[in-house]
Amino acid sequence: MDIGTLEKRLAREKAARSEAEALLEAKSRELYLSNKELLKASQTLIGQSQQLNAIFDQALTVILLADGDGTIQRANRSAEMTFGREAGELKSTNLYDLLDQNSREAAAEMERRRDPAKKFTAVGNMQEMVGLRADGTPFPLELAVSVFELEGKRHGVWITRDITARKEAQEKQLRLEQELRQSQKLESLGTLASGIAHEINTPIQYINDNAHFLKESFADLMSVLQAYDVLLQKADAHDQFKEQTGAVRANAEAADVDFLKEEIPSSIEQTLDGIERISKIVTAVKEFSHPGTTEMTAIDLNQAIETTLSVTRNEWKYVAETTTDFDADLPMVPCLPGDINQVIMNLIVNAAHAIESKGGENLGKIAIKTSHADGQVSVSITDSGCGIPEANRGQIFDPFFTTKEVGKGTGQGLSIAFNIVAQKHDGTLSFTTEEGVGTTFTITLPAVQASGVKAETEAETKEAV
Amino acid sequence: MSARVVFVDDEPNILRGLQRTFRRLRNEWDMDFLDGGEAALKHLSENPADVIVSDMRMPGVDGAQFLTEAAQTHPETLRIILSGEADREMTFRTVGVSHQFLPKPCNTDSLCEKIRRCLAAKSKLPHADLQIAASGTASLPVSEETLQTLKAAVEGASSSLEDAADIFASEPGLAAKILQLANSAYFGIGQSVNSPAEAVRLLGSDIIKPLVDKGCFKSAAATPALNTAVFDHTLTQAKSMAALAQKAASEAQASSTQIELARVAGLLHNIGRLVICSNFPNCYSDLESGGAVEPAGLDQQEEQAFNCTQADVGGYLALLWGLPDAVCTAIAHQTTPDTAPDPRDAVLLALQAARQAGGEGHEEAAA
Ligand SMILES: Nc1ncnc2c1ncn2[C@@H]1O[C@H](COP(=O)(O)OP(=O)(O)O)[C@@H](O)[C@H]1O
Ligand SMILES: [Mg+2]
């Protein structure tokens, strides 16, 4: 090869090489640039995913991601806390195990109805279900389910929230409304009672007056009749009156005068008795309902119990005998009279029911006793009823807790009674019970403090002397 | 002369019923049975009366309106309400113009007994003026200071029924009126209440507050005819007698009820004098010529002026207002215990002992 050829070749090769070098440089520059972009993109992605994770974990709402079988892929912190699990404990367990039996079916049904094409359209649509905490305690929750496809496989996302607090607030509200309704009922009963009392008392006044009048006038008539009898006997001696005396005797016999003499006074007596009972009941109903008294008023509890017993007579008279043991020196008690009467009524009615449910041939016993000590007044109502089983003792004061059939019990009696005694009167309501033997409910209330007045007058006495 | 008793009701059956039951008294009482307030007012404008027994709810002129007018035109009458049930507003209007409120149905025997006793007490007052003063008394004067304290006690944001109860128990004018209202059925069933504080608690602030607001209790300052010197003395005397009688009863081991009754009897023993000194300020002529205020002197001047004692006036007022029996008797018989139905009654004895200890009795013993 000649030198010229060689040189040319060299030159060509040089050129080619520098071209290749330039190309390489350009390419590697391109590579560098795209690499840099890639890095940047991946950093953004990492940032975004960190953000998402943070949201996922910080969300107060429970978020659970599961595959088509319900095996949990991911669970957020809120999920673990709500269901009472350690970190990471939920992963790979089954979603449906977090719900109680009924809710499991409902949730599965929800999931079946979701269409993966319409991804997260279902979030607003939440259903109330019952969840289970780690120890199996049920609690109320709301659940929304949505499904989507990932790599051709069906996945589910559960969004749920613990609604225990909200439920409690609702129940409290409900209870307040119930109580309000109850007190309105009592209030209108009171208004009704005083209206009826007026309507009944007016006729009672004149029925009573008339019966008294009949009683007295009959006595007067009787003495006249007696005088006539004497006359009749005298007339018998005279033949010319024979016809008349015979007629009188026949009349007297037809009218059965001897019977009338006996029965008229006793029938009037019984009428008067009945009138007295009616007016007692009317008075009792009026007193019991205390219309219009919404402020603390001092009352004689013995009297209030007497009244309540007569108003509730129909509730207990077929199942029990009632006895009272009243503290004669019971101090006055400041209270809302209508409310306190209701408490006593609820306890008496419960006692009667307990006796009834125990059954048995003989009448049961309801004994009511009042006493006072250390500025406290107490009323105890003891029944010989069925007693309260151990298992129920913690719940009887709960609103709506009842062991009675519908129509007989509402489960509100004791909860209302407790509220009235403890909240409104600063007193206590407690019980002791023995199954099959009976139960005693005891109310204690603060009494009026009369000591201040006494101390003062005593000081005055000393001064005056 | 037989007493004239007027019954007023809009229900004819009630009137006929009363007419039949009271027929047995036809020789003792002169009775009229009138259908409604209007007819009754017309009747009264033409006829005198001693006793009025009226219903409350009546069409046209209702019971409150009728009694208000009757109290003005016939202040000498004993005015009793006999009513089934009345609304509160109407009842407040009757507080100053009627003496007692009986709920229907009422026992006619006890109504009759009540009327008889009042009429008997009335007949002990020989002067018509004095009879009118007693039955025309809507409320007894109360010291301005006490009334202000009472207003503060019931009105303030921190109003306390207990404070009010103490105040009511401390002055005769307040104690007597509140016992009248609680022992009658004005605001409820009406039960026998012996203690003013208990009466206040029974009525409750729902009733006490409007009573105070509506001016049911009059201040001495608002009683223009009042002889203030005698009033002040009467008040001091009442309070010290209350304490002494209470002490006497508790030393005699009386029951707690009797001890309170004795205290009340002491506090109210000279309500008769409150009536006299707020209606006849000039009856005490000795005082005007510079005499000192002392009980025996006052007794004497009252007797000179009216031919009866302040005890007679007080006893009448207590019966009119239906105060507890033991208190009525103790007041009426404070100077004549031997003529009381039961001279050994614990309350009467306590008041006697208090009078001895307080100096009222000695004067009499000496006299
Ligand atoms: N004196 C009693 N003896 C036995 N059980 C009682 C008695 N009082 C209440 N209970 C029980 O407490 C439950 C709740 O009482 P309560 O709140 O008054 O509602 P209710 O009477 O409507 O059932 C009753 O159903 C009953 O089981
Ligand atoms: Mg019940």
Side-chain angles (χ1 to χ4, degrees):
Chain A
M1 241 193 287
D2 63 25
I3 284 196
T5 312
L6 275 175
E7 276 183 338
K8 266 186 193 165
R9 210 166 141 182
L10 186 68
R12 233 179 15 243
E13 275 179 10
K14 254 185 173 167
R17 185 165 163 176
S18 79
E19 203 175 304
E21 267 175 349
L23 193 70
L24 186 67
E25 202 183 302
K27 282 291 170 203
S28 68
R29 188 178 172 74
E30 241 173 65
L31 195 66
Y32 167 75
L33 281 177
S34 70
N35 208 359
K36 208 168 138 190
E37 246 164 59
L38 206 63
L39 201 72
K40 205 168 138 200
S42 93
Q43 268 169 353
T44 315
L45 267 180
I46 289 173
Q48 276 176 354
S49 112
Q50 273 173 346
Q51 231 172 41
L52 280 176
N53 277 339
I55 293 173
F56 187 74
D57 274 331
Q58 303 290 311
L60 285 176
T61 313
V62 173
I63 305 171
L64 293 159
L65 174 71
D67 65 15
D69 307 327
T71 307
I72 296 173
Q73 309 286 307
R74 275 193 78 174
N76 66 352
R77 187 74 201 108
S78 189
E80 290 159 355
M81 276 158 59
T82 302
F83 291 97
R85 302 302 207 288
E86 297 296 320
E89 210 185 314
L90 281 172
K91 196 167 154 105
S92 306
T93 61
N94 195 298
L95 204 53
Y96 291 96
D97 293 341
L98 297 173
L99 300 177
D100 83 345
Q101 188 59 41
N102 288 339
S103 300
R104 252 171 242 176
E105 281 156 27
E109 175 61 26
M110 264 174 108
E111 168 134 18
R112 257 195 302 285
R113 274 189 280 123
R114 295 283 171 260
D115 177 1
K118 298 185 208 151
K119 287 188 180 164
F120 291 98
T121 50
V123 176
N125 213 349
M126 300 192 103
Q127 268 189 34
E128 279 188 20
M129 309 226 165
V130 179
L132 300 174
R133 302 205 203 273
D135 61 359
T137 324
F139 69 98
L141 55 74
E142 296 185 310
L143 173 67
V145 175
S146 68
V147 295
F148 61 96
E149 283 194 12
L150 203 62
E151 294 158 355
K153 275 201 262 166
R154 192 179 164 108
H155 280 70
V157 176
W158 282 18
I159 307 277
T160 151
R161 209 174 10 226
D162 183 345
I163 54 171
T164 310
R166 198 174 81 199
K167 282 261 160 192
E168 272 169 8
Q170 272 172 356
E171 242 161 56
K172 196 169 159 201
Q173 178 70 23
L174 198 71
R175 205 178 325 150
L176 284 177
E177 277 166 21
Q178 290 273 13
E179 266 161 30
L180 187 68
R181 225 170 301 145
Q182 188 70 23
S183 70
Q184 279 167 344
K185 219 157 78 185
L186 210 68
E187 177 73 29
S188 55
L189 172 72
T191 315
L192 191 71
S194 68
I196 292 176
H198 178 76
E199 292 310 318
I200 296 181
N201 282 339
T202 302
I204 290 181
Q205 175 74 49
Y206 61 77
I207 295 173
N208 194 35
D209 288 349
N210 289 342
H212 272 290
F213 169 72
L214 283 176
K215 182 177 157 183
E216 277 163 28
S217 356
F218 184 75
D220 292 348
L221 271 182
M222 282 303 296
S223 57
V224 175
L225 266 183
Q226 239 151 32
Y228 280 143
D229 263 349
V230 175
L231 183 65
L232 194 63
Q233 272 153 30
K234 288 259 152 44
D236 279 340
H238 303 275
D239 271 354
Q240 75 258 45
F241 298 127
K242 199 158 185 179
E243 199 179 320
Q244 285 87 344
T245 53
V248 168
R249 288 231 155 73
N251 263 330
E253 202 148 306
D256 204 352
V257 168
D258 289 338
F259 178 80
L260 296 185
K261 278 184 194 165
E262 291 265 315
E263 289 304 309
I264 289 179
S266 75
S267 79
I268 295 175
E269 216 44 75
Q270 281 165 20
T271 305
L272 286 169
D273 236 39
I275 295 166
E276 198 181 318
R277 258 167 66 181
I278 295 174
S279 62
K280 265 198 189 135
I281 292 167
V282 173
T283 310
V285 170
K286 211 166 80 175
E287 246 181 274
F288 176 79
S289 48
H290 266 273
T293 313
T294 51
E295 291 200 35
M296 287 286 192
T297 306
I299 64 161
D300 175 357
L301 269 183
N302 293 342
Q303 171 71 30
I305 292 167
E306 204 69 88
T307 300
T308 305
L309 272 174
S310 69
V311 174
T312 54
R313 207 175 123 78
N314 199 44
E315 297 283 339
W316 51 260
K317 70 173 173 191
Y318 299 112
V319 295
E321 279 171 347
T322 57
T323 55
T324 52
D325 175 8
F326 288 150
D327 177 349
D329 294 324
L330 199 71
M332 303 280 277
V333 180
C335 65
L336 304 165
D339 281 5
I340 285 298
N341 285 338
Q342 196 188 358
V343 171
I344 298 167
M345 174 170 91
N346 291 354
L347 297 180
I348 291 174
V349 170
N350 279 350
H353 285 169
I355 290 166
E356 195 180 351
S357 96
K358 183 177 167 187
E361 295 268 287
N362 301 329
L363 284 182
K365 285 202 169 59
I366 301 177
I368 306 182
K369 182 176 156 64
T370 57
S371 59
H372 75 285
D374 308 327
Q376 296 279 321
V377 167
S378 42
V379 179
S380 65
I381 298 173
T382 302
D383 64 63
S384 61
C386 57
I388 305 169
E390 186 98 45
N392 293 347
R393 288 178 198 165
Q395 298 175 69
I396 56 165
F397 292 110
D398 291 351
F400 309 114
F401 175 81
T402 180
T403 56
K404 299 170 192 173
E405 70 231 45
V406 182
K408 189 154 202 179
T410 59
Q412 290 199 71
L414 286 178
S415 119
I416 288 175
F418 187 84
N419 183 45
I420 290 173
V421 174
Q423 306 286 322
K424 298 192 185 167
H425 292 84
D426 206 15
T428 64
L429 176 61
S430 59
F431 65 95
T432 56
T433 184
E434 190 177 335
E435 260 186 277
V437 177
T439 306
T440 299
F441 275 87
T442 306
I443 310 167
T444 64
L445 297 169
V448 170
Q449 294 294 340
S451 52
V453 187
K454 245 190 198 132
E456 211 176 280
T457 36
E458 258 156 31
E460 254 175 50
T461 316
K462 281 193 197 102
E463 242 167 69
V465 173
Chain B
M1 191 186 60
S2 49
R4 289 145 309 192
V5 185
V6 173
F7 294 91
V8 186
D9 207 298
D10 63 316
E11 166 84 55
N13 284 349
I14 291 275
L15 291 178
R16 293 300 303 274
L18 290 169
Q19 193 168 9
R20 290 183 189 119
T21 18
F22 284 127
R23 207 180 109 85
R24 63 194 150 92
L25 298 177
R26 60 190 179 276
N27 297 326
E28 187 180 338
W29 294 349
D30 207 346
M31 290 173 277
D32 284 292
F33 299 87
L34 302 164
D35 174 15
E38 243 152 327
L41 283 175
K42 181 160 181 300
H43 175 90
L44 284 185
S45 70
E46 292 155 6
N47 303 280
D50 298 299
V51 183
I52 296 171
V53 179
S54 172
D55 187 22
M56 279 286 272
R57 282 199 202 165
M58 295 187 285
V61 177
D62 68 25
Q65 197 181 338
F66 162 62
L67 288 168
T68 307
E69 286 199 33
Q72 249 156 34
T73 57
H74 292 65
E76 71 283 4
T77 48
L78 158 61
R79 296 176 293 280
I80 296 177
I81 296 168
L82 174 59
S83 172
E85 180 84 18
D87 61 80
R88 224 166 242 188
E89 187 275 328
M90 200 194 283
T91 309
F92 276 119
R93 289 193 283 134
T94 65
V95 163
V97 296
S98 63
H99 297 112
Q100 295 188 33
F101 191 121
L102 303 181
K104 276 180 192 162
C106 100
N107 177 333
T108 40
D109 285 345
S110 66
L111 171 61
C112 163
E113 201 42 45
K114 240 182 219 316
I115 294 176
R116 277 188 179 144
R117 284 176 66 189
C118 282
L119 291 175
K122 183 182 181 180
S123 70
K124 285 197 182 159
L125 311 184
H127 275 249
D129 281 357
L130 199 51
Q131 295 176 355
I132 292 175
S135 53
T137 297
S139 68
L140 294 166
V142 178
S143 72
E144 180 65 24
E145 192 194 343
T146 308
L147 200 62
Q148 290 310 329
T149 334
L150 177 62
K151 280 188 176 148
V154 299
E155 248 139 59
S158 61
S159 75
S160 142
L161 201 57
E162 275 314 295
D163 289 348
D166 289 352
I167 299 167
F168 270 99
S170 74
E171 248 201 67
L174 294 174
K177 191 76 193 168
I178 212 67
L179 281 175
Q180 176 198 15
L181 295 180
N183 276 284
S184 241
Y186 283 96
F187 301 103
I189 315 299
Q191 39 194 304
S192 98
V193 185
N194 301 321
S195 133
E198 198 173 302
V200 170
R201 291 184 202 116
L202 268 174
L203 294 173
S205 46
D206 277 357
I207 288 159
I208 297 296
K209 201 168 151 5
L211 281 177
V212 175
D213 289 346
K214 286 174 200 273
C216 287
F217 310 101
K218 286 238 164 45
S219 135
T223 312
L226 187 74
N227 183 323
T228 39
V230 175
F231 173 73
D232 291 344
H233 174 266
T234 308
L235 216 57
T236 316
Q237 198 68 10
K239 290 183 179 180
S240 97
M241 254 339 141
L244 289 169
Q246 183 185 31
K247 182 167 172 270
S250 84
E251 278 170 4
Q253 316 257 305
S255 71
S256 62
T257 308
Q258 283 170 326
I259 294 175
E260 177 61 7
L261 280 169
R263 195 191 71 81
V264 173
L267 189 68
L268 305 187
H269 83 286
N270 54 11
I271 49 173
R273 181 158 295 143
L274 286 178
V275 172
I276 298 171
C277 78
S278 51
N279 286 280
F280 309 100
N282 302 327
C283 119
Y284 305 98
S285 51
D286 267 17
L287 299 182
E288 274 159 36
S289 46
V293 185
E294 44 87 30
L298 297 177
D299 279 343
Q300 208 174 19
Q301 292 171 66
E302 284 155 359
E303 255 192 282
Q304 257 162 27
F306 297 109
N307 199 20
C308 66
T309 65
Q310 71 88 21
D312 294 330
V313 181
Y316 178 42
L317 186 67
L319 278 174
L320 278 176
W321 285 13
L323 301 188
D325 273 352
V327 173
C328 291
T329 313
I331 295 173
H333 294 278
Q334 54 188 289
T335 57
T336 54
D338 297 339
T339 60
D342 174 13
R344 308 296 311 156
D345 177 71
V347 178
L348 185 63
L349 288 179
L351 187 58
Q352 292 309 308
R355 284 170 58 82
Q356 298 287 331
E360 285 192 22
H362 287 307
E363 308 286 343
E364 238 133 62

